């Protein structure tokens, strides 16, 4: 069983930056595809970025050029570096994982593809 714990959320100013971390325990992340999702009140959960265990990274169009996802296999930690933050980035951010063998990376943005989820970390961007 994989355990995911997000951290790094909090308040930020519009145009500012913030870095989220997702620490993984229970297994090595090198066997998993990982992803960041977010959910705002009243909205459906949406994919932000996905990372294949072999290194490919996909981004949602609304974060391209602003957010950078990365995976530190040695630290067993997933990161999301967020820059040029906007008020509409306010949401609870979740990391998720699924065994690479159990998924198709073409479906990286579908939340039902993921087996393991963190508890989420709140990001609030003041305009």
């Amino acid at each position: 069983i994989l355990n995911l714990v997000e951290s790094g959320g909090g308040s930020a100013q519009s145009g500012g930056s913030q870095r989220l971390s997702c620490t993984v325990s229970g297994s090595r992340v090198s066997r998993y595809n990982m992803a960041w999702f977010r959910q705002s009140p009243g909205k459906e959960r949406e994919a932000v970025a996905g990372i294949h265990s072999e290194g490919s990274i996909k981004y949602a169009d609304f974060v391209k050029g602003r957010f950078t996802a990365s995976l530190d296999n040695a630290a067993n930690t997933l990161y999301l570096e967020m820059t040029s933050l906007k008020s509409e980035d306010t949401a609870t951010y979740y990391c998720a994982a699924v065994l690479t063998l159990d998924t198709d990376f073409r479906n990286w943005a579908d939340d039902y593809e993921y087996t393991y989820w963190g508890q989420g970390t709140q990001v609030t961007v003041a305009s």
Side-chain angles (χ1 to χ4, degrees):
I1 295 178
L2 214 59
N3 187 46
L4 285 65
V5 179
E6 301 95 338
S7 61
S11 298
Q13 292 295 316
S14 180
S17 301
Q18 203 163 59
R19 187 174 84 156
L20 305 182
S21 301
C22 173
T23 303
V24 181
S25 60
S27 185
R28 303 304 305 171
V29 294
S30 57
R31 302 172 59 211
Y32 294 82
N33 287 3
M34 307 290 296
W36 286 100
F37 285 79
R38 71 184 188 184
Q39 188 168 23
S40 304
K43 294 186 178 181
E44 292 188 356
R45 186 162 52 191
E46 59 184 359
V48 175
I51 301 181
H52 191 281
S53 59
E54 294 182 353
S56 297
I57 304 177
K58 298 286 189 181
Y59 294 97
D61 287 342
F62 56 81
V63 301
K64 282 183 180 177
R66 300 191 301 123
F67 291 10
T68 302
S70 61
L71 186 61
D72 185 336
N73 283 309
N76 234 35
T77 301
L78 175 71
Y79 299 100
L80 184 66
E81 191 75 42
M82 305 183 292
T83 64
S84 302
L85 283 166
K86 306 175 182 179
S87 58
E88 51 263 45
D89 294 320
T90 295
T92 300
Y93 285 73
Y94 300 89
C95 61
V98 59
L99 277 169
T100 299
L101 294 178
D102 289 346
T103 189
D104 185 334
F105 193 52
R106 289 175 293 182
N107 301 326
W108 73 271
D110 295 328
D111 58 3
Y112 56 77
E113 287 286 309
Y114 295 88
T115 309
Y116 303 100
W117 291 83
Q119 82 290 348
T121 185
Q122 177 67 36
V123 173
T124 302
V125 182
S127 57

